[in-house]
Amino acid sequence: MIAEGVRGFKCFLIHSGIDEFPHCTESDLHLAYQQLQGTDSVFLFHAEVEVDEELADSSSLADNAYDKFMLSRPEKMEIEAVKMVIKLCLQYKVRSHIVHLSAATALPLIREAQKAGAPLTVETCHHYLTLNSENVPDGATEYKCCPPIRTKQNQEELWAAVRDLSISMVVSDHSPCTAGLKCPDTGDFMKAWGGIAGLQLGLSLFWTSCKERGLSVSDLSDYMSANTAKHAGLQMRVGNTTPGLRGDLVIWNPEKQFTVTEDMIFHKNKLTPYLGMTLYGQVEKTIVGGEVVFDGQTGFTGAKPGQIFLN
């Protein structure tokens, strides 16, 4: 696959939620790292592992209680996974990447490893930077994702890591599903699909928070475009406006406000934790490869200039 131009490989360190996509053990990771040594590939991790110690008792909580779900995925699951990734990253010197970090308590380990020269990068997501557990209503399974949305204090620590570039990318982790998989009738967090569909609103979610925190459009572009393009080895093709690069652009009004309503959602499942939120940053046009693929007034144009990027 590497010889055919595949740029990276992702694995889960815990059950993925899909039986036909099993998670990797540490012995699996050693084998994979050995194959990746000497390449420019990146190894990406859903960084949660099962922990031996007994979880906090949540037996008194109903299955539709968000606190019960959050207690079932404690920060320690992320911490132990990050420890494993760091150990192997330092051992094999292969580019490694933590996807959708939620637990800020893992950040000291990450910063120490990066200072020690580990080729380790980290991303977090719009939902972790925008939402917090204190405001998740019981039964509102549209908020369920794995790892879970955590506390407001945790969120502030993630933002500090974004500012100091310990976390250098902010992404959607877009994970849609059919409405029934979210168990809307019962609000059962323990059975509902774990994932948030956030691709459409990501730019506006992040920009709204950036405005509040004094970050610029240039900062936003780095976290959501330039840094992600470089991570994928695509910085000479996409990710910035250098003449000669592929024309992938968004034309938008950063000062225009809008309220998220169900009728404006383009993804099939309209269930979203962002309904009713007022955001800054209205997209006017999306251009891919120099062609307009979306117009804010008329919708999608039908143009399909996308392509697969291989090495």
Side-chain angles (χ1 to χ4, degrees):
M1 291 176 73
I2 294 171
E4 293 297 322
V6 174
R7 294 176 174 276
F9 302 87
K10 180 193 173 183
C11 69
F12 279 75
L13 301 181
I14 196 171
H15 192 282
S16 69
I18 304 173
D19 290 338
E20 58 266 33
F21 187 18
H23 69 282
C24 291
T25 64
E26 186 169 353
S27 59
D28 294 328
L29 299 184
H30 279 284
L31 292 173
Y33 266 112
Q34 289 163 15
Q35 293 293 315
L36 294 174
Q37 275 189 307
T39 74
D40 193 38
S41 298
V42 60
F43 204 177
L44 301 94
F45 298 89
H46 178 122
E48 289 179 286
V49 294
E50 298 287 356
V51 290
D52 293 333
E53 64 190 53
E54 187 174 344
L55 299 178
D57 182 18
S58 62
S59 59
S60 64
L61 297 172
D63 287 346
N64 72 343
Y66 184 72
D67 284 349
K68 182 168 187 173
F69 167 62
M70 193 162 64
L71 288 170
S72 76
R73 311 287 287 227
E75 295 177 33
K76 187 171 179 61
M77 294 172 72
E78 290 190 77
I79 292 170
E80 294 305 314
V82 168
K83 284 181 181 178
M84 184 194 303
V85 172
I86 288 172
K87 179 183 73 172
L88 296 174
C89 179
L90 286 168
Q91 177 180 345
Y92 290 101
K93 300 297 184 184
V94 168
R95 293 174 60 214
S96 304
H97 182 75
I98 305 296
V99 303
H100 50 59
L101 181 75
S102 167
T105 43
L107 286 167
L109 296 169
I110 290 165
R111 290 184 175 113
E112 182 179 354
Q114 289 171 335
K115 288 179 182 177
L120 178 68
T121 52
V122 184
E123 69 184 45
T124 193
C125 302
H126 305 300
H127 39 276
Y128 301 134
L129 296 176
T130 303
L131 307 171
N132 59 74
S133 60
E134 289 90 339
N135 293 325
V136 178
D138 288 345
T141 53
E142 61 268 29
Y143 288 83
K144 181 180 177 180
C145 56
C146 297
I149 295 162
R150 304 192 189 276
T151 65
K152 177 65 175 174
Q153 177 58 41
N154 183 83
Q155 182 184 87
E156 292 303 317
E157 292 175 28
L158 290 177
W159 270 106
V162 169
R163 283 185 172 277
D164 70 20
L165 291 178
S166 303
I167 297 173
S168 57
M169 289 164 254
V170 179
V171 304
S172 71
D173 190 35
H174 185 67
S175 182
C177 66
T178 56
L181 291 178
K182 278 293 190 181
C183 303
D185 295 336
T186 62
D188 189 335
F189 274 104
M190 306 309 292
K191 293 181 179 178
W193 175 267
I196 294 174
L199 184 63
Q200 178 182 345
L201 298 171
L203 175 66
S204 303
L205 288 164
F206 191 46
W207 175 239
T208 300
S209 295
C210 284
K211 279 176 65 70
E212 294 172 354
R213 295 170 181 273
L215 296 175
S216 67
V217 173
S218 178
D219 294 324
L220 175 145
S221 182
D222 285 344
Y223 291 115
M224 292 187 67
S225 186
N227 294 350
T228 52
K230 183 177 180 180
H231 172 66
L234 297 173
Q235 67 271 26
M236 299 307 293
R237 301 193 201 179
V238 298
N240 61 71
T241 56
T242 301
L245 269 61
R246 177 180 159 92
D248 293 350
L249 304 166
V250 173
I251 299 173
W252 66 308
N253 183 344
E255 298 304 320
K256 187 171 182 178
Q257 285 185 296
F258 65 95
T259 299
V260 180
T261 58
E262 188 172 305
D263 63 347
M264 66 173 288
I265 300 296
F266 287 106
H267 48 79
K268 183 176 180 181
N269 172 23
K270 309 300 183 184
L271 201 62
T272 170
Y274 305 120
L275 281 181
M277 290 184 65
T278 298
L279 304 175
Y280 281 95
Q282 180 73 54
V283 173
E284 304 293 348
K285 292 184 189 295
T286 304
I287 300 169
V288 177
E291 293 188 53
V292 176
V293 297
F294 174 80
D295 184 286
Q297 299 298 317
T298 59
F300 291 98
T301 65
K304 297 181 179 179
Q307 66 183 93
I308 296 174
F309 288 109
L310 297 171
N311 274 335

